[in-house]
Amino acid sequence: MPNLRNQLRTVLFVAGTLPGLLAAPAILAADEDRYGYGSPASAEQIAGWDIDVRPDGQGLPPGEGSVEDGEWLYEEKCASCHGSFGESVGGYPALAGGDGSLTDPRPKKTVGSYWRYTSTLWDYIHRAMPFTQPESLSDDEVYAITAYVLHLNDIVDYEFVLTRDNLTDVHLPNEDNFIPDQRPDTSNKRCMKRCKNPDDIEVASEAAAYIPEGGPDALYSESEALDDGLVTTVTGSGVYERHCALCHASGIGGAPALGDANAWAGRIEQGMELLYRHAIEGYSGEDGIMPPKGGFVNLPDSEVNLAVDYIVEQSQ
């Protein structure tokens, strides 16, 4: 991955007004290398984007974190999606297990069975996790959670402390099995002559839909799961467990926790219609952010309402 600092040195931040934009042609005539508005990105602005980490450790900040500290942090911030032992919950990625499964028809790709570099694990946790609060972890917390995920995969022992200096010494089991793609870059030319008539094309066979072991993928709506015979009844508790518990079970991201009567009292007093609307359309306030349908925009409004009914019933 190229270093973002070099890429962003030429970024211009637009700060001009409409008259300034209209004057751009005259300015371009004087300086063809600039658009005529805005200013070069400062070192501080570049630093906010320059967070990539390389396999050789370049980009890692100072810090450290132990497996022991990571265990508590992981349980608080990660286990609701990835499982207490990295086994996955509700269709979210598994982080541990899968040893020897890469040659199976359905390989289990985890940090221990598939990932190549430890730096990738650190970088992904740092920039994208937790799911509802990316980049909210301190550097020491990232080191600790990374160390614990490595421990879940039996790569380091429980007394291990991960630091910037020793991260590149930790090698993942599948590191040596990646090979460069030797195929040349090509692109198909658009068919312009003697093209096949789409009406003459027949589908000979179709692959059966894959249903993950342990239940439907989290992106399934309850109605789709019902159609596929994966659930027998669409219920508010079912919708909640698969689509809402990520935030409302633990109260992360300012979400009022299920069963917290004090947190829900004021919201319930505003009326169910407002609760339905906020859940469906989304909500942003001083006490937190609710993305439309919790981020599962494929859910029918009726299922969202069922989940709201369930949460209110459990939180009064």
Side-chain angles (χ1 to χ4, degrees), residues 275-282 290-294 300-302 304-305:
L275 286 177
Y276 292 148
R277 181 157 60 85
H278 283 172
I280 293 170
E281 299 177 2
M290 168 69 182
K293 300 185 178 181
D301 293 353
S302 59
V304 178
N305 291 345

Side-chain angles (χ1 to χ4, degrees), residues 217-239:
D217 187 89
L219 293 180
Y220 260 90
S221 71
E222 290 289 290
S223 298
E224 292 168 328
L226 181 65
D227 292 340
D228 287 345
L230 299 171
V231 298
T232 57
T233 307
V234 177
T235 65
S237 60
V239 178

Side-chain angles (χ1 to χ4, degrees), residues 96-110 112-114:
D99 295 344
S101 72
L102 297 187
T103 57
D104 295 345
R106 293 288 180 182
K108 187 175 182 180
K109 297 181 179 180
T110 71
S113 70
Y114 177 72

Side-chain angles (χ1 to χ4, degrees), residues 102-157:
L102 297 187
T103 57
D104 295 345
R106 293 288 180 182
K108 187 175 182 180
K109 297 181 179 180
T110 71
V111 173
S113 70
Y114 177 72
W115 289 38
R116 186 176 190 182
Y117 294 122
T118 306
S119 60
T120 305
L121 176 60
W122 195 100
D123 181 77
Y124 192 79
I125 295 172
H126 179 225
R127 73 172 63 246
M129 294 289 114
F131 180 66
T132 57
Q133 297 173 294
E135 295 190 45
S136 63
L137 298 171
S138 70
D139 293 338
D140 285 346
E141 288 175 330
V142 176
Y143 277 108
I145 293 175
T146 301
Y148 184 66
V149 174
L150 293 172
H151 176 69
L152 286 176
N153 286 278
D154 299 321
I155 297 171
V156 299
D157 58 35

